[in-house]
Amino acid sequence: MGVQIESTVKDPERIRERRKQIVRASVELFIEKGFHKTTTREIAKASGLSNGALYEYVKSKEDILYLVCQHIHQEIHERLADSLSSHETALERLRHAMTSFLSVIRDMEDEVLLIYQESKSLPPHHLHDVLQNEQVITDVFVQLLQDGLEDKSLELTEETIPLVAHDIIVLGQMWAFRRWAIRDMDFSEFVRQQINMILRTEPDHSSILRT
Amino acid sequence: MGVQIESTVKDPERIRERRKQIVRASVELFIEKGFHKTTTREIAKASGLSNGALYEYVKSKEDILYLVCQHIHQEIHERLADSLSSHETALERLRHAMTSFLSVIRDMEDEVLLIYQESKSLPPHHLHDVLQNEQVITDVFVQLLQDGLEDKSLELTEETIPLVAHDIIVLGQMWAFRRWAIRDMDFSEFVRQQINMILRTEPDHSSILRT
Amino acid sequence: MGVQIESTVKDPERIRERRKQIVRASVELFIEKGFHKTTTREIAKASGLSNGALYEYVKSKEDILYLVCQHIHQEIHERLADSLSSHETALERLRHAMTSFLSVIRDMEDEVLLIYQESKSLPPHHLHDVLQNEQVITDVFVQLLQDGLEDKSLELTEETIPLVAHDIIVLGQMWAFRRWAIRDMDFSEFVRQQINMILRTEPDHSSILRT
Amino acid sequence: MGVQIESTVKDPERIRERRKQIVRASVELFIEKGFHKTTTREIAKASGLSNGALYEYVKSKEDILYLVCQHIHQEIHERLADSLSSHETALERLRHAMTSFLSVIRDMEDEVLLIYQESKSLPPHHLHDVLQNEQVITDVFVQLLQDGLEDKSLELTEETIPLVAHDIIVLGQMWAFRRWAIRDMDFSEFVRQQINMILRTEPDHSSILRT
DNA sequence: GATGAATGAGGGTTCATTCAT
DNA sequence: TATGAATGAACCCTCATTCAT
């Protein structure tokens, strides 16, 4: 799954191991200084590898960026998937998922920001794959909305589902990429409001329109 | 207004002129290749300036990025401000503003994306200023929401206004930074849905919750 | 004539000047250590240029090799052409040319060897051009042989001319690339014998075959 | 005979075996990409050895080049020696040898070219040995010429023998290193002309001079 | 003010060789 | 003996910036 990154090394266990080191170090560095201003030497050093060894697990600096993006998406997706509940109605499951998603975003705000800012530096092939991963995460919500359509706990039309799902993602990721504007807001308040923006469940607030 | 960029040149008219050339050329280049992959030589050439002349109107490559971001924000803000209507109710003015805003985003999707992806490369001082400009644009909607609170054409609480304003901005800019996911959607359909996401004005759709 | 080498610099006079420095330094270095073991830093330093300046007059290290080969061929060709005499018979002109050619080879043995050993590292396009230059030099002898055919001072058939011309070149260049085997031979003796090999003019030695 | 190459391995049989693999692979690679552009990893892989194993049969990359040159010379020499005839006169034996030599050159043109282009990269000690091997081959012709002097089937003076022998070698190897200029010539025609260049045996062509 | 040649630090990457297993 | 991961010096080249003219 995803694009295969070549390696000179044969032992797959070791590859996994070393790449984990590389990714861990790189995430930190990329967050701190950005992809372009981070040197491969720094990455090697922070990974506990020599300059040469780094290139046995990766073919280019861009590969590292890809690995980083993939790793971040994986973690987000895993944590989101793990938190999927089995409440009776899709509405309740959706609300729960949104809450979980938002809390993942908060935990990984730097990482989310990283993807927003650096993924454009990926070569087309890898970029495509990263965007696909973003879609995979979005699809979790597409599914939940679909469920709501079926069990009628949500009222919406089929055609709007894709965009609504993206809205959910984006209104959540905002916490990461608009930090500067929201920093003084309480996170739980943010959660409450964004969920309400999507669902309008609060009494007498099904719309911000005056009835 | 904004951060002053130093110049060796005295004549302010000439400075304005030359910087316009620089910005025009840079926007295009940055969109095409990204900030880091664009060289100052390319910028100079595309601006019709010599390598040395460039540095008489600008002190560093980062200054150019700043000029570019500022210019983009200015244009967005101008066009948004110009389109502010004088409808009776704030609700109507808001709806009109959102529509205008979205159409500006569509016209300038590359530029919007540019700011999302490259502004992080600004030195802190300039970054701060750019974010402030983003806030200025957001404040247009803050004001409209406030108006709606006052003329009671909108129903919301004071505290939610800032975040709702940001939501409006972000749900609009999505068109630029989620193009890859939305490309096959009709723009007017996008507009309709996003406005509805914010306002829930469509009959029987004041909420996606089943009543 | 020849393949154009790009330069960032505009002033053609300066380009010529600087490239002369580069070539002069490189010939020496390439002869001493070979193309691959010579670094661009060494070349820059020996040329009296900075690392960066070097690359304003040349696009790659291979370009330098090309410039070097071209320069060597040019000099050989010039000196050969300059020495072309106007003796009555083609035979005499040929003998004179061969003598001159051999003395050029002796003066430039290192350079001749350089081309033999390093031209293979040229990119195809440039290699082709270098070989063409080699042919140009060969053609000097082709012409002389042709003349001899016409004025009947030489007895040979048209079809053998090309190969004989190449033989002349190669039997001369031997002095450079077989030095190790010939070093203890007197140069004038070498000249005498090689010319005799081609012309068999010495009394009673028109062939090494016993009559 | 030749320079001893060190090895960590004891069993001489195994050494011979492995080095044969190494040489076979390297010849091909060096011909294809040149010595410097061929990596030891490629050699190891193509030899069916591991990176480390390679260095148990050879102490450096240059050693491999030496082995390669030696092998090529050996094969040329062997094939030349094998073809030595026992015709009555030295002249006839010489003509036969030249024909054989030329056909060896044709079969091994890539290898001959390889030695011309890469032997310069050998460390002095090894280079000396390789040149000596070249001399050994030359000496085959020295001997034949000497024989001709003795049985008087050739007319030449003792002092010219060494150079004539080298001329024979070089006029033959031309087929390899001047391929680009001669490619459209028929090989048998080449043979005929080159032998005639040396021997001038064709009727009425004992010299290219008009009598 | 303008030009464009010059600077030089530093970047990503390679690869001959070594060495722990 | 064999393996293949690790090392790290070194390479070619780029480019933001400066400065003599």
Side-chain angles (χ1 to χ4, degrees):
Chain A
M1 232 218 69
V3 181
Q4 210 59 356
I5 300 286
E6 281 177 60
S7 169
T8 332
V9 176
K10 297 181 174 176
D11 179 6
E13 183 48 48
R14 179 165 291 200
I15 293 181
R16 219 167 310 133
E17 189 80 15
R18 294 282 192 252
R19 286 191 177 162
K20 202 148 76 183
Q21 298 172 237
I22 294 171
V23 166
R24 201 201 320 280
S26 299
V27 167
E28 201 164 336
L29 286 165
F30 291 171
I31 284 170
E32 190 194 329
K33 346 179 31 177
F35 173 68
H36 281 104
K37 297 215 163 171
T38 301
T39 69
T40 55
R41 274 163 178 68
E42 288 171 312
I43 294 172
K45 189 171 202 175
S47 309
L49 295 175
S50 69
N51 272 333
L54 182 65
Y55 277 84
E56 305 232 304
Y57 295 97
V58 122
K59 289 229 328 169
S60 70
K61 196 185 171 193
E62 283 165 348
D63 274 0
I64 300 177
L65 180 56
Y66 171 67
L67 250 25
V68 161
C69 290
Q70 207 190 29
H71 171 80
I72 292 172
H73 271 141
Q74 212 160 78
E75 186 158 340
I76 293 175
H77 187 229
E78 247 164 53
R79 291 182 55 174
L80 179 57
D82 282 0
S83 76
L84 289 184
S85 62
S86 50
H87 289 118
E88 190 111 308
T89 67
L91 164 63
E92 286 175 286
R93 293 203 297 280
L94 176 60
R95 183 199 305 281
H96 186 94
M98 283 172 55
T99 309
S100 301
F101 178 63
L102 283 164
S103 112
V104 172
I105 296 289
R106 186 190 48 180
D107 291 350
M108 302 179 67
E109 32 175 84
D110 289 332
E111 285 84 352
V112 169
L113 192 54
L114 178 54
I115 288 185
Y116 260 85
Q117 293 176 334
E118 308 291 7
S119 60
K120 65 150 200 307
S121 296
L122 289 166
H125 191 55
H126 285 163
L127 175 56
H128 180 263
D129 187 73
V130 166
L131 296 181
Q132 202 144 348
N133 285 338
E134 186 85 16
Q135 184 64 53
V136 166
I137 292 168
T138 310
D139 284 342
V140 171
F141 289 99
V142 167
Q143 186 57 56
L144 288 167
L145 291 167
Q146 209 90 46
D147 291 354
L149 193 70
E150 273 156 36
D151 79 359
K152 309 202 163 151
S153 62
L154 296 176
E155 172 162 349
L156 33 55
T157 43
E158 177 105 44
E159 314 88 62
T160 65
I161 288 180
L163 189 55
V164 171
H166 280 289
D167 286 350
I168 292 171
I169 297 291
V170 163
L171 290 179
Q173 289 175 339
M174 255 180 71
W175 181 258
F177 65 75
R178 292 237 147 188
R179 263 196 306 227
W180 52 271
I182 313 183
R183 212 181 335 222
D184 53 349
M185 184 177 231
D186 192 52
F187 178 69
S188 64
E189 183 55 25
F190 175 78
V191 173
R192 207 182 54 72
Q193 284 192 42
Q194 294 303 67
I195 291 183
N196 191 41
M197 175 85 260
I198 300 292
L199 298 178
R200 310 295 168 121
T201 61
E202 310 210 342
D204 296 331
H205 288 275
S206 56
S207 156
I208 67 174
L209 290 181
R210 192 157 270 281
T211 42
Chain B
M1 229 218 72
V3 181
Q4 211 59 351
I5 300 286
E6 282 176 57
S7 169
T8 339
V9 177
K10 296 284 148 62
D11 181 2
E13 182 48 46
R14 175 165 288 193
I15 293 181
R16 215 168 312 133
E17 189 76 18
R18 295 282 193 249
R19 284 190 180 163
K20 199 148 80 183
Q21 298 171 238
I22 295 171
V23 166
R24 200 201 322 278
S26 299
V27 167
E28 200 165 337
L29 287 166
F30 291 171
I31 284 171
E32 189 194 330
K33 344 179 34 175
F35 173 68
H36 280 103
K37 298 213 162 170
T38 301
T39 68
T40 55
R41 278 196 223 325
E42 288 171 309
I43 294 172
K45 189 170 194 178
S47 310
L49 294 176
S50 71
N51 257 332
L54 185 66
Y55 276 84
E56 264 158 20
Y57 296 97
V58 123
K59 286 231 328 170
S60 72
K61 195 185 172 193
E62 284 162 348
D63 275 0
I64 299 177
L65 180 56
Y66 171 65
L67 250 27
V68 162
C69 290
Q70 207 189 29
H71 170 80
I72 292 172
H73 270 141
Q74 212 159 81
E75 185 159 343
I76 293 177
H77 186 229
E78 249 165 51
R79 291 182 55 174
L80 179 56
D82 282 2
S83 76
L84 287 185
S85 62
S86 49
H87 287 113
E88 191 112 307
T89 68
L91 164 61
E92 285 174 285
R93 292 202 299 278
L94 175 60
R95 184 199 305 280
H96 186 93
M98 283 172 55
T99 308
S100 300
F101 178 64
L102 282 164
S103 115
V104 171
I105 296 288
R106 186 189 49 179
D107 291 350
M108 302 179 65
E109 31 175 86
D110 289 332
E111 286 83 352
V112 169
L113 193 53
L114 178 54
I115 288 184
Y116 259 85
Q117 293 177 335
E118 308 292 8
S119 60
K120 65 151 201 303
S121 296
L122 290 165
H125 190 55
H126 286 162
L127 174 57
H128 180 262
D129 186 72
V130 166
L131 297 181
Q132 203 143 348
N133 285 338
E134 184 85 17
Q135 185 62 53
V136 167
I137 292 168
T138 311
D139 283 343
V140 170
F141 289 99
V142 168
Q143 185 57 56
L144 288 166
L145 291 168
Q146 210 90 46
D147 291 355
L149 193 70
E150 272 156 37
D151 79 357
K152 307 203 165 154
S153 62
L154 296 176
E155 172 162 349
L156 33 55
T157 44
E158 176 104 44
E159 315 85 63
T160 64
I161 288 179
L163 189 54
V164 172
H166 279 289
D167 286 350
I168 292 171
I169 297 291
V170 162
L171 290 180
Q173 290 175 338
M174 255 180 72
W175 182 259
F177 66 72
R178 291 238 145 187
R179 265 196 302 225
W180 52 269
I182 312 184
R183 213 181 333 222
D184 53 348
M185 184 177 230
D186 192 53
F187 178 69
S188 63
E189 184 55 24
F190 175 77
V191 172
R192 207 182 53 72
Q193 284 192 43
Q194 293 303 67
I195 291 182
N196 191 41
M197 175 85 258
I198 300 290
L199 297 179
R200 309 297 167 122
T201 60
E202 309 210 344
D204 297 331
H205 287 277
S206 56
S207 156
I208 68 176
L209 289 181
R210 193 157 267 281
T211 43
Chain C
M1 230 217 71
V3 180
Q4 211 59 354
I5 300 286
E6 283 177 58
S7 170
T8 333
V9 176
K10 296 181 176 174
D11 180 5
E13 184 48 48
R14 179 165 292 202
I15 293 181
R16 220 168 308 134
E17 189 79 15
R18 295 281 191 252
R19 284 191 179 163
K20 201 148 79 184
Q21 298 171 236
I22 294 171
V23 166
R24 201 202 318 283
S26 299
V27 168
E28 202 164 337
L29 286 165
F30 291 171
I31 284 171
E32 190 193 330
K33 347 180 29 177
F35 173 68
H36 281 103
K37 296 213 163 172
T38 301
T39 68
T40 55
R41 271 170 178 63
E42 288 171 310
I43 294 172
K45 191 172 200 175
S47 309
L49 296 175
S50 69
N51 273 331
L54 183 66
Y55 278 86
E56 304 232 305
Y57 295 96
V58 122
K59 288 225 335 164
S60 71
K61 197 186 170 192
E62 284 165 348
D63 274 0
I64 299 178
L65 179 56
Y66 171 67
L67 250 25
V68 162
C69 290
Q70 209 190 28
H71 170 80
I72 292 172
H73 270 140
Q74 214 160 78
E75 186 159 343
I76 294 176
H77 186 230
E78 250 167 49
R79 292 182 55 174
L80 179 56
D82 282 0
S83 75
L84 289 184
S85 61
S86 50
H87 287 114
E88 190 110 307
T89 67
L91 165 61
E92 286 174 285
R93 291 203 298 279
L94 175 60
R95 185 200 304 282
H96 187 93
M98 283 171 55
T99 310
S100 300
F101 178 63
L102 283 164
S103 113
V104 172
I105 296 289
R106 186 191 47 181
D107 292 349
M108 302 180 66
E109 31 175 86
D110 289 332
E111 286 82 352
V112 169
L113 192 54
L114 178 53
I115 288 185
Y116 261 85
Q117 294 176 334
E118 308 292 7
S119 60
K120 64 151 201 308
S121 296
L122 290 166
H125 190 54
H126 286 162
L127 175 56
H128 180 263
D129 187 73
V130 167
L131 296 181
Q132 204 144 346
N133 285 338
E134 186 85 17
Q135 185 63 54
V136 167
I137 292 167
T138 310
D139 284 342
V140 171
F141 290 99
V142 168
Q143 186 57 55
L144 288 166
L145 292 167
Q146 209 90 45
D147 291 354
L149 193 69
E150 275 155 35
D151 78 0
K152 308 205 164 149
S153 61
L154 296 176
E155 172 162 350
L156 33 54
T157 43
E158 176 105 41
E159 315 87 63
T160 64
I161 288 180
L163 189 54
V164 172
H166 280 289
D167 286 350
I168 291 172
I169 297 291
V170 162
L171 289 180
Q173 289 174 339
M174 254 180 72
W175 181 260
F177 65 75
R178 290 237 148 187
R179 263 196 306 226
W180 52 270
I182 313 183
R183 214 183 331 224
D184 53 350
M185 184 178 233
D186 193 52
F187 178 68
S188 63
E189 183 56 24
F190 175 77
V191 173
R192 208 182 53 72
Q193 284 192 42
Q194 294 303 69
I195 290 183
N196 192 41
M197 174 85 261
I198 299 292
L199 299 178
R200 309 296 168 121
T201 61
E202 309 210 342
D204 298 330
H205 288 276
S206 54
S207 155
I208 68 175
L209 288 181
R210 191 157 271 280
T211 44
Chain D
M1 231 219 69
V3 181
Q4 212 58 353
I5 300 286
E6 284 176 57
S7 168
T8 338
V9 177
K10 295 285 147 64
D11 181 3
E13 183 49 46
R14 174 165 291 191
I15 293 181
R16 216 167 312 133
E17 190 76 18
R18 295 283 192 248
R19 285 190 179 164
K20 201 148 77 183
Q21 298 171 238
I22 294 171
V23 166
R24 201 200 320 280
S26 300
V27 168
E28 201 164 338
L29 287 166
F30 291 171
I31 284 170
E32 190 193 330
K33 344 177 36 176
F35 173 68
H36 281 103
K37 297 214 165 171
T38 301
T39 69
T40 55
R41 280 198 223 321
E42 287 171 309
I43 294 172
K45 188 171 196 178
S47 310
L49 294 176
S50 71
N51 257 333
L54 184 67
Y55 276 82
E56 263 157 21
Y57 295 97
V58 121
K59 286 231 329 170
S60 72
K61 195 186 172 192
E62 285 162 348
D63 275 0
I64 300 177
L65 179 56
Y66 171 65
L67 251 26
V68 162
C69 290
Q70 208 190 30
H71 170 80
I72 292 172
H73 271 141
Q74 213 159 80
E75 185 158 342
I76 294 176
H77 187 229
E78 248 167 50
R79 292 180 55 173
L80 179 56
D82 282 0
S83 75
L84 288 185
S85 62
S86 49
H87 291 287
E88 190 112 308
T89 67
L91 165 61
E92 287 174 287
R93 292 204 298 280
L94 176 60
R95 185 197 305 281
H96 186 94
M98 283 171 55
T99 310
S100 300
F101 178 64
L102 283 164
S103 113
V104 172
I105 296 291
R106 187 190 47 180
D107 291 351
M108 301 179 65
E109 32 175 85
D110 290 333
E111 286 83 352
V112 169
L113 192 54
L114 178 55
I115 288 184
Y116 260 84
Q117 293 176 334
E118 308 292 7
S119 59
K120 64 152 203 305
S121 296
L122 289 166
H125 190 55
H126 285 163
L127 174 56
H128 181 263
D129 187 73
V130 166
L131 297 181
Q132 203 144 347
N133 285 338
E134 185 85 15
Q135 185 62 55
V136 167
I137 292 167
T138 311
D139 284 342
V140 170
F141 289 99
V142 168
Q143 186 57 57
L144 288 166
L145 291 167
Q146 209 88 48
D147 291 355
L149 193 69
E150 274 156 35
D151 77 0
K152 309 201 165 156
S153 61
L154 296 176
E155 172 163 347
L156 35 54
T157 43
E158 176 105 41
E159 314 85 62
T160 64
I161 288 180
L163 189 53
V164 172
H166 280 288
D167 287 350
I168 292 172
I169 298 292
V170 163
L171 290 180
Q173 290 175 339
M174 255 179 70
W175 182 259
F177 66 75
R178 290 238 147 185
R179 265 197 302 228
W180 53 270
I182 312 184
R183 213 181 333 223
D184 53 349
M185 182 177 234
D186 194 51
F187 178 69
S188 63
E189 184 55 24
F190 175 77
V191 172
R192 206 182 57 71
Q193 284 192 42
Q194 294 304 66
I195 290 183
N196 191 41
M197 174 87 260
I198 300 291
L199 298 178
R200 309 294 168 124
T201 60
E202 310 210 341
D204 297 330
H205 288 277
S206 55
S207 157
I208 67 175
L209 290 181
R210 191 158 269 283
T211 44

